[in-house]
Amino acid sequence: MELTPVLRSEWLKIRTLRSLPGTLLALFAATTAFSAIAGVSDTSDPGFDPLFTALSGVVPGQIAAVSFGAMAVSSEFRSGALRLSLAAVPRRGRWFVAKAAVIVVPTLLVGWATALAALLVGRAGLGPAADRLGTGEQVRGVMGCGVYLMLMALFAAGLAALLRSGTATLSLLIPFILVVSFVIGDATGTVADFLPDKAGQLVIRGTYEGSSLGPWSGLAVTALWTVAALLAGAWSLRRRDA
């Protein structure tokens, strides 16, 4: 079976499951709102990072991207939907590739639009401090931010395929991203640089002294975590009954 019809089928599922477009809208709204709030922060601190401040809405906003990836896959494990999908596409690997592809495209596009909007509202709040932002780092921040959000959505998708539950996936990832990652970072120092969220977020920082990674190498670490999660999800899909 060719891949194109499978992609069309999976894209139709994304469009018609109302909660999925809603999470992408939440990604845009939450990220820009938090960036607008952060933009009016105190800029007198010598260690102030205007790029990260302008794009800091990504930290809470990424929960929506994670939810999108998790729900796009976990919806298949409710009410026997996966059996119907695999009856139409017996080659499980091909089906999983199509599912990943229809997660990649909307999250990447919405991620780029969200990052640009967040940067603009963040800059507006920063006032004169925004003049410290260079063109190159702003472009890197916006482009890298979109890629980061896409990778986190795929990371959640891989875990959802492995755990076969959106609830279990979000119960694991949300506390990790919002709480555990910060605690581990404070306790372990540079080890935290290699956590999937901490590593990827270096791409939205203007300064990253003290880290063993740079913006693009950090994003590569997040990509490795994502590949590992997808491979684990694909292994589970192949080995376990639908």
Side-chain angles (χ1 to χ4, degrees):
M1 184 177 186
E2 293 184 0
L3 185 60
T4 301
V6 187
L7 287 169
R8 288 176 182 157
S9 174
E10 294 304 318
W11 176 239
L12 182 62
K13 294 177 187 177
I14 295 290
R15 289 169 49 200
T16 55
L17 191 59
R18 292 183 180 180
S19 59
L20 293 180
T23 57
L24 294 179
L25 179 61
L27 169 62
F28 183 89
T31 301
T32 53
F34 278 103
S35 285
I37 294 170
V40 297
S41 61
D42 180 19
T43 62
S44 61
D45 183 353
F48 171 72
D49 186 336
L51 181 64
F52 182 72
T53 299
L55 292 173
S56 60
V58 169
V59 177
Q62 68 182 316
I63 299 302
V66 165
S67 299
F68 177 80
M71 290 191 298
V73 172
S74 64
S75 62
E76 297 285 348
F77 296 99
R78 297 198 297 266
S79 305
L82 182 60
R83 285 193 290 271
L84 294 176
S85 296
L86 295 181
V89 189
R91 298 181 63 177
R92 299 186 179 202
R94 182 170 301 222
W95 173 82
F96 195 51
V97 167
K99 177 67 76 175
V102 299
I103 292 171
V104 165
V105 174
T107 50
L108 187 58
L109 295 177
V110 173
W112 280 333
T114 298
L116 179 59
L119 179 65
L120 292 175
V121 298
R123 280 182 56 95
L126 288 173
D131 295 337
R132 293 164 52 184
L133 289 168
T135 301
E137 65 178 347
Q138 291 180 81
V139 171
R140 183 249 293 168
V142 170
M143 299 303 291
C145 182
V147 175
Y148 169 72
L149 290 170
M150 178 268 290
L151 289 173
M152 291 302 290
L154 278 179
F155 182 59
L159 288 182
L162 176 64
L163 300 176
R164 298 196 161 208
S165 169
T167 301
T169 301
L170 296 179
S171 297
L172 176 67
L173 283 182
I174 292 177
F176 179 84
I177 290 170
L178 296 182
V179 180
V180 178
S181 182
F182 291 98
V183 174
I184 293 175
D186 291 338
T188 60
T190 56
V191 174
D193 294 343
F194 295 88
L195 296 176
D197 59 325
K198 290 286 190 182
Q201 287 172 23
L202 288 173
V203 81
I204 61 172
R205 291 186 177 274
T207 58
Y208 36 89
E209 289 82 2
S211 172
S212 55
L213 298 170
W216 299 115
S217 56
L219 206 59
V221 168
T222 302
L224 290 175
W225 279 94
T226 298
V227 169
L230 289 172
L231 289 175
W235 174 86
S236 177
L237 186 66
R238 282 180 172 274
R239 295 292 180 179
R240 298 166 67 180
D241 294 335

